[in-house]
Amino acid sequence: MEAAQEYTRTAMETIKAKALEEKYADYAFICGIDEAGRGPLAGPVVAGAVILPKDHHILYLNDSKKLTAHKREELYDVILENAVAVGLGMASPARIDEINILQATYEAMRQAISKLKVMPQLLLNDAVTIPQVAIPQVPIIKGDAQSASIAAASIVAKVTRDRLMEEYDKTMPEYGFASNKGYG
């Protein structure tokens, strides 16, 4: 009974996340944009850009912070298998120090967009408007919990960054990056 209720709740959240994007049905390629790594003490900021097919049926898409690491890993593979296009961008800690975290985030987001194999017609961004991007943008507050595309971008960015931090842990085990991912 509990599993059935969980599935129903998840299905309803997925329907809600897809419904937000139906407002933009005139656009063939809608791209969700989000980042991971704006708040830690160490590591890069990673941005994800994901274009999902309009008819996708991916359950559990949500803000990556609301999912378990195991569920994020599962969804990462499902997203990569089903997405029309996925792009990743990254700004190093040195770059963050050079231009500040917000500008580094924008830079990573522009990189992610540029790496998409399909040019999006509309960007749905988690709470920001990315400067120097000509594609129409819609910033959505808490977008990673409201839009399936932004949630997918959130998951791709978070898993990519977490895997990178686990690699850093192998060369710098004294910092515990495998467990803390660079957060205080």
Side-chain angles (χ1 to χ4, degrees):
M1 183 70 164
E2 192 173 307
Q5 289 174 332
E6 173 66 16
Y7 180 83
T8 300
R9 184 185 62 76
T10 300
M12 294 306 291
E13 287 176 354
T14 301
I15 290 166
K16 180 182 167 190
K18 286 179 74 173
L20 180 133
E21 295 181 13
E22 287 175 11
K23 293 192 307 191
Y24 307 105
D26 291 346
Y27 296 93
F29 298 111
I30 298 170
C31 180
I33 308 277
D34 200 8
E35 52 64 39
R38 275 181 70 179
L41 303 173
V45 62
V46 176
V50 176
I51 300 173
L52 293 173
K54 289 185 183 247
D55 63 347
H56 79 86
H57 298 288
I58 305 172
L59 291 178
Y60 300 101
L61 289 175
N62 201 343
D63 175 358
S64 64
K65 296 177 291 300
K66 295 180 179 178
L67 302 169
T68 65
H70 179 74
K71 182 54 77 178
R72 284 192 302 266
E73 287 284 343
E74 285 179 1
L75 285 168
Y76 178 88
D77 292 334
V78 171
I79 292 163
L80 292 187
E81 289 170 14
N82 289 280
V84 172
V86 174
L88 286 166
M90 190 178 318
S92 70
R95 187 68 175 150
I96 294 167
D97 290 345
E98 182 182 340
I99 62 174
N100 79 44
I101 186 60
L102 181 60
Q103 296 308 313
T105 299
Y106 292 150
E107 190 171 276
M109 288 176 166
R110 287 189 294 269
Q111 283 177 24
I113 295 164
S114 74
K115 292 181 180 174
L116 291 166
K117 66 180 182 185
V118 174
M119 184 57 61
Q121 296 170 314
L122 179 70
L123 303 177
L124 300 181
N125 307 341
D126 187 30
V128 299
T129 299
I130 308 162
Q132 302 165 5
V133 172
I135 302 165
Q137 303 179 55
V138 179
I140 301 170
I141 304 298
K142 298 187 191 264
D144 48 5
Q146 296 186 56
S147 159
S149 297
I150 298 174
S154 169
I155 293 163
V156 169
K158 175 82 171 126
V159 170
T160 300
R161 187 181 186 284
D162 285 356
R163 288 178 179 178
L164 187 60
M165 295 308 291
E166 289 166 8
E167 288 300 311
Y168 289 172
D169 188 71
K170 292 175 184 174
T171 58
M172 298 174 276
E174 65 274 19
Y175 295 108
F177 291 146
S179 61
N180 65 38
K181 307 299 190 263
Y183 288 85

